[in-house]
Amino acid sequence: TLSERAVDIGAIGRGIIELTGWVHSDDESHHAVVVTRGVPGVDTVVNRLVVREDEDRLDETAERYRRGELDT
């Protein structure tokens, strides 16, 4: 679900909302935009969401572990 994703929501102007962060698929990105557009007072949604595959996230986590950035 979107509540489990790293999505930041910010107002960048009157009635203008910006979505940033990452989601797992184009469908999730589209869903986030649709939900945001449904909020009263929102006229424009700027979608800067990045679609990240599970493999990319696993590779990143593995690299952080190798560098000692994660606790075991």
Side-chain angles (χ1 to χ4, degrees):
T1 66
L2 285 174
S3 63
E4 299 169 348
R5 304 295 179 252
V7 175
D8 293 316
I9 303 165
I12 57 175
R14 186 179 194 132
I16 304 171
I17 300 297
E18 177 184 49
L19 302 176
T20 58
W22 62 268
V23 293
H24 287 303
S25 67
D26 289 328
D27 286 342
E28 286 184 353
S29 177
H30 176 74
H31 182 67
V33 171
V34 169
V35 168
T36 305
R37 283 187 180 141
V39 174
V42 173
D43 300 316
T44 303
V45 177
V46 178
N47 182 1
R48 292 200 169 107
L49 293 172
V50 175
V51 176
R52 291 181 64 184
E53 298 296 325
D54 288 346
E55 184 176 350
D56 292 339
R57 288 186 298 108
L58 291 173
D59 288 347
E60 179 182 313
T61 301
E63 181 59 32
R64 290 180 63 206
Y65 180 79
R66 281 191 285 276
R67 292 190 307 248
E69 295 174 7
L70 299 176
D71 295 332
T72 56

